[in-house]
Amino acid sequence: MDEQRRVMLAIVLTLGIFFGWQALVKIIHPPPPAKPDSVAATNSHIVSNATGPSANAVENSASSVKADAITKAPANVEVASVAPTLAKETVAPFSTEFFSGEIGDRGGLNKLLLHKYHEVRSKGAEVEPVSLVTAEIDGAQRQAQVTIKIGDKAIPLSFIERGPEKFVLSGTFQAVQATLTIIVQPDQYGISYDLQIENKGESQVYVGSEIVMGLAPNAMAETPSMFVPAADMISGLCYNEESVQRYNTQDLEDENPSFNNSAWAGLDRQYFVVAVIPQGSAGKCRVNIDKANLLVNYDLGGVNLAPTKNWNRQFVLYLGPKREADLKAVNPALSQVIDYNIWGIPLGFLARPMVLVLNVFYGLTGSWGIAIILLTFLVKALLFPVTYKSVVSMRRMSLIRPEIEKLKERYGKDRERMQLEQVKLFREKGINPLGGCLPMLLQMPVWFALYRTLWTAVDLYQQKFLWLDNLTAKESFPFLSIAFGLLTVLQQKLTPTTIDSKQAKMMMYVMPVVFAFFMIGLPSGLVLYIVVNSILTIIQQLVINRRKVTL
């Protein structure tokens, strides 16, 4: 087996390990069943909130945030002993260029739709704007539910001002007055909150606040294949110690992780994110599951508030796509939500330019499928000098095949001597035996980077191209994968080789089947790239084969 085939086999094994491990985890650790309503009990007191300084006020870097003491009421501090009575919930609508929704007087968003992004939420359903209010929190579908507490009881709120961009909620319980001001930012995916609590009583009381974010599994999420994890997967996020900690439902089977010094927290829905970023001190982040909903509780902390004193917290809520420009417009720290790593290897230096180039090509053509094809042409053109040298090297290797056969006859039983003589022959003829493998090795980071790009590029979400229903999901029927297998057979026939005919036949028919099998579970946009790349490689091979090559 020559070096090129060795590399191809190594690539197959690498892909198998990469995708097979994710599938194995799914089999060993299936999604946990619905757990008792431990979170619902926590959320049953959630009542109100909202406030909003300008999002520009929240400019502190995540790495410079210091933890505030998240205290609990000591024995000598007065706490609420009677739960406040909650009136029927009322809501107030809002709408901007970016999103629209409803704010409830229980402190959460009862509706949130993204205007620029659309999806099919169930089979046969109509295309609708993406919704980020899908989980049940405190008995109803809500998002980013804010609780303002005195002791362990929530302070009931009611509207005193309703929009169109500014909403003010206020309430008093046991001489503690809370005011929540919410400002919907008109030019970004951000909502700003300003919480003010004043103790008008004669005793010290414990006050605090908590935000609960949640998302339910997407009905249209792709079930995981043997090689690819489920599409539209939801993960809980806690930013801790200058890194993003991610947890999906499988991670929460045995534990509910929490961090006391979390600079921000949120939920990642592959192409979209919900996140809360406080101004000033950090909070406590906890991730758990309730009735299949993935929830993230973010505790803003609390204080023992003396009579006539005030307590203030400000934070920003991001609800939108995972696009760097949009994330940074609300807070630069949020750009870390986008994960371009594979096996811990950072591929952002390749993926980010790809996203930029794809957007440029889409702007010129109006089609994401054509944009991917044009990207393939561009990458092929950039790698052509190396590819040309590779093909020439392989042609020269085929020319010395008779001499290699003679060495095998002479030193067949002495492998060490055989290898030494082969190396000597390569040096005499000026041939690099690894020269034919280099372009393939250079392509692998590009493929992995494109894989991550398609896995995170929100602009491609549920985008169609020809018969492909979704460029970011696997093909319904693997036409492209089959085409890739056939193209691989043709490509191997055109590729010079130094191995014997029996090995060549085995490689010619076994490798394409293995590669085609791997392609079935990959996003169709990535398979489209690989198929177009194979076509260009065959054309390139035919052109180069016409050129005379000598030793």
Side-chain angles (χ1 to χ4, degrees):
M1 186 182 298
D2 66 4
E3 292 298 329
Q4 183 194 13
R5 266 58 181 190
R6 292 178 191 272
V7 172
M8 291 179 69
L9 182 59
I11 292 169
V12 170
L13 294 175
T14 300
L15 289 171
I17 294 171
F18 172 57
F19 296 119
W21 171 251
Q22 300 179 59
L24 183 63
V25 170
K26 293 280 184 183
I27 296 171
I28 298 175
H29 298 290
K35 295 185 178 182
D37 297 348
S38 58
V39 177
T42 302
N43 298 334
S44 61
H45 303 299
I46 296 178
V47 181
S48 73
N49 144 342
T51 136
S54 169
N56 294 331
V58 190
E59 295 176 350
N60 57 298
S61 170
S63 61
S64 63
V65 177
K66 295 183 179 179
D68 208 352
I70 302 177
T71 59
K72 293 186 177 181
N76 63 340
V77 176
E78 183 177 323
V79 298
S81 57
V82 179
T85 302
L86 302 180
K88 183 179 179 180
E89 185 175 14
T90 60
V91 298
F94 65 88
S95 181
T96 72
E97 175 189 352
F98 295 87
F99 49 35
S100 60
E102 295 176 347
I103 296 174
D105 63 1
R106 298 284 177 91
L109 299 172
N110 293 41
K111 183 179 179 181
L112 196 288
L113 301 175
L114 304 181
H115 293 166
K116 298 182 179 181
Y117 301 95
H118 297 77
E119 63 184 352
V120 176
R121 296 177 194 164
S122 60
K123 291 184 178 179
E126 297 293 327
V127 177
E128 301 177 74
V130 170
S131 172
L132 292 181
V133 178
T134 60
E136 182 178 311
I137 300 176
D138 193 22
Q141 279 195 339
R142 296 189 179 92
Q143 182 59 272
Q145 179 98 325
V146 182
T147 309
I148 305 172
K149 299 179 290 185
I150 170 173
D152 60 352
K153 302 296 187 293
I155 301 176
L157 302 178
S158 59
F159 285 105
I160 60 175
E161 184 176 344
R162 304 191 194 190
E165 295 177 356
K166 182 179 179 181
F167 301 81
V168 181
L169 294 158
S170 183
T172 302
F173 182 66
Q174 293 190 353
V176 174
Q177 182 177 17
T179 303
L180 182 62
T181 304
I182 305 173
I183 296 179
V184 179
Q185 302 297 328
D187 56 352
Q188 57 184 230
Y189 289 97
I191 302 178
S192 302
Y193 291 76
D194 185 5
L195 170 61
Q196 303 279 347
I197 300 178
E198 181 182 1
N199 184 2
K200 295 184 176 182
E202 298 180 354
S203 303
Q204 180 172 279
V205 294
Y206 176 80
V207 298
S209 183
E210 180 186 53
I211 304 161
V212 180
M213 295 166 283
L215 287 173
N218 188 353
M220 288 296 290
E222 294 233 0
T223 55
S225 69
M226 182 176 179
F227 303 107
V228 182
D232 227 346
M233 181 179 289
I234 299 171
S235 300
L237 308 175
C238 295
Y239 187 90
N240 188 63
E241 296 181 354
E242 299 187 2
S243 64
V244 180
Q245 311 297 324
R246 299 172 184 269
Y247 301 92
N248 56 38
T249 53
Q250 286 70 42
D251 300 325
L252 302 174
E253 186 174 355
D254 301 319
E255 64 171 339
N256 293 328
S258 63
F259 301 90
N260 290 325
N261 186 22
S262 188
W264 57 266
L267 285 160
D268 182 344
R269 205 193 105 178
Q270 188 170 342
Y271 299 103
F272 307 96
V273 66
V274 178
V276 58
I277 314 98
Q279 180 182 11
S281 56
K284 180 177 181 179
C285 174
R286 180 166 59 91
V287 186
N288 61 336
I289 301 174
D290 177 46
K291 295 180 179 177
N293 298 316
L294 186 61
L295 303 180
V296 173
N297 295 59
Y298 191 72
D299 194 334
L300 292 168
V303 295
N304 298 317
L305 194 62
T308 73
K309 297 298 182 181
N310 296 285
W311 186 64
N312 170 249
R313 287 307 307 262
Q314 296 177 340
F315 56 92
V316 170
L317 185 66
Y318 180 91
L319 306 110
K322 286 169 61 177
R323 297 183 74 247
E324 287 202 54
D326 293 322
L327 292 163
K328 289 180 178 180
V330 173
N331 192 291
L334 286 178
S335 62
Q336 297 173 75
V337 166
I338 304 177
D339 183 15
Y340 289 127
N341 298 337
I342 291 184
W343 296 324
I345 302 172
L347 294 173
F349 71 98
L350 285 174
R352 288 187 180 91
M354 281 186 179
V355 172
L356 177 62
V357 171
L358 281 172
N359 277 276
V360 171
F361 287 151
Y362 174 76
L364 296 174
T365 65
S367 168
W368 288 109
I370 295 177
I372 291 174
I373 293 173
L374 292 177
L375 176 65
T376 313
F377 274 84
L378 177 62
V379 173
K380 200 67 179 174
L382 292 175
L383 292 178
F384 178 77
V386 180
T387 304
Y388 178 77
K389 290 182 178 180
S390 165
V391 174
V392 171
S393 177
M394 292 168 67
R395 293 272 305 278
R396 296 179 71 187
M397 285 280 290
S398 66
L399 292 176
I400 64 169
R401 181 177 174 182
E403 297 183 52
I404 293 178
E405 292 298 328
K406 290 180 181 179
L407 291 177
K408 287 182 179 179
E409 292 176 3
R410 185 178 302 176
Y411 305 108
K413 295 182 180 181
D414 190 346
R415 288 183 173 272
E416 187 175 347
R417 179 67 184 275
M418 171 66 186
Q419 290 178 352
L420 290 173
E421 293 296 329
Q422 256 190 316
V423 171
K424 182 179 178 181
L425 177 62
F426 290 151
R427 286 177 179 173
E428 289 176 355
K429 302 297 183 180
I431 296 174
N432 180 3
L434 298 178
C437 308
L438 185 57
M440 191 175 298
L441 294 176
L442 290 176
Q443 281 277 12
M444 291 308 296
V446 175
W447 286 358
F448 283 135
L450 184 62
Y451 174 85
R452 294 308 298 175
T453 298
L454 294 175
W455 207 250
T456 57
V458 65
D459 292 317
L460 274 67
Y461 178 61
Q462 292 199 1
Q463 290 291 324
K464 296 182 178 180
F465 179 64
L466 299 178
W467 71 91
L468 303 174
D469 294 328
N470 184 355
L471 288 170
T472 57
K474 67 180 181 181
E475 203 176 359
S476 300
F477 184 84
F479 291 110
L480 287 175
S481 300
I482 294 171
F484 174 74
L486 297 174
L487 288 169
T488 304
V489 173
L490 179 58
Q491 186 177 340
Q492 294 220 57
K493 285 185 176 181
L494 295 173
T495 303
T497 180
T498 59
I499 60 177
D500 61 59
S501 58
K502 291 183 180 180
Q503 288 181 321
K505 286 182 179 180
M506 183 188 70
M507 298 296 293
M508 183 176 296
Y509 297 110
V510 173
M511 294 296 288
V513 172
V514 174
F515 272 114
F517 186 66
F518 284 160
M519 297 296 115
I520 291 175
L522 295 177
S524 58
L526 177 59
V527 184
L528 175 64
Y529 172 93
I530 295 173
V531 167
V532 174
N533 180 74
S534 297
I535 294 172
L536 294 177
T537 300
I538 290 172
I539 296 173
Q540 184 176 269
Q541 187 77 47
L542 289 171
V543 172
I544 296 175
N545 283 352
R546 291 184 178 181
R547 299 180 65 88
K548 186 176 181 181
V549 175
T550 58
L551 292 173

